[in-house]
Amino acid sequence: ESSAGGGQPRYLGIFFSRSPPYYVTGVNDVVDEFGFQQGELGYTQLPILAGDLILTVDGSDVKHSPQPLEEILRGDNLEMASLTSLTFSRQVSGGGVVYTVRILRHHEFGSRGQRVLF
């Protein structure tokens, strides 16, 4: 899970393996660029699934980066509701699929049980 220094953690809602190659180990509360959560009607992205391999974050190669994945995921843009672009690879029968999603960094939940976008 990604968080950033200062204030509340920036939350992407994706959990990854601790060492490269970085595979998705869980997904919780992923929010697309329009504010819809993965699984909600209106979510516009291909769903991120456990087992998907992350390839790039905002165009930066993850596999060959000297930075840990958590630092890469923090990014330079820590503004409210900052959008990040993640590219994944997924193995499917007959080959593999590469896909990119644009999701928002946000707080997991607010005091009334609602998502708080940065």
Side-chain angles (χ1 to χ4, degrees):
E1 178 55 33
S2 175
S3 62
Q8 288 187 283
R10 273 76 172 166
Y11 184 79
L12 289 173
I14 308 169
F15 299 88
F16 294 94
S17 54
R18 295 189 181 272
S19 59
Y22 296 108
Y23 288 94
V24 175
T25 59
V27 178
N28 179 40
D29 194 34
V30 170
V31 178
D32 73 11
E33 60 190 309
F34 302 107
F36 292 101
Q37 184 177 1
Q38 180 172 305
E40 287 181 335
L41 186 62
Y43 180 78
T44 60
Q45 308 292 317
L46 200 63
I48 301 165
L49 302 176
D52 290 354
L53 174 67
I54 188 164
L55 303 174
T56 68
V57 175
D58 295 326
S60 297
D61 181 31
V62 170
K63 184 176 181 181
H64 298 103
S65 175
Q67 290 180 292
L69 180 60
E70 185 173 334
E71 287 182 24
I72 298 168
L73 289 171
R74 282 185 192 138
D76 295 328
N77 183 359
L78 299 180
E79 295 178 15
M80 293 176 64
S82 62
L83 190 61
T84 189
S85 178
L86 308 176
T87 301
F88 294 92
S89 173
R90 176 181 302 156
Q91 293 301 319
V92 294
S93 60
V97 173
V98 174
Y99 68 97
T100 300
V101 296
R102 292 170 49 91
I103 60 175
L104 290 173
R105 293 178 177 95
H106 60 285
H107 296 308
E108 184 176 8
F109 291 102
S111 60
R112 297 180 184 252
Q114 295 180 342
R115 196 175 310 108
V116 178
L117 302 179
F118 276 83

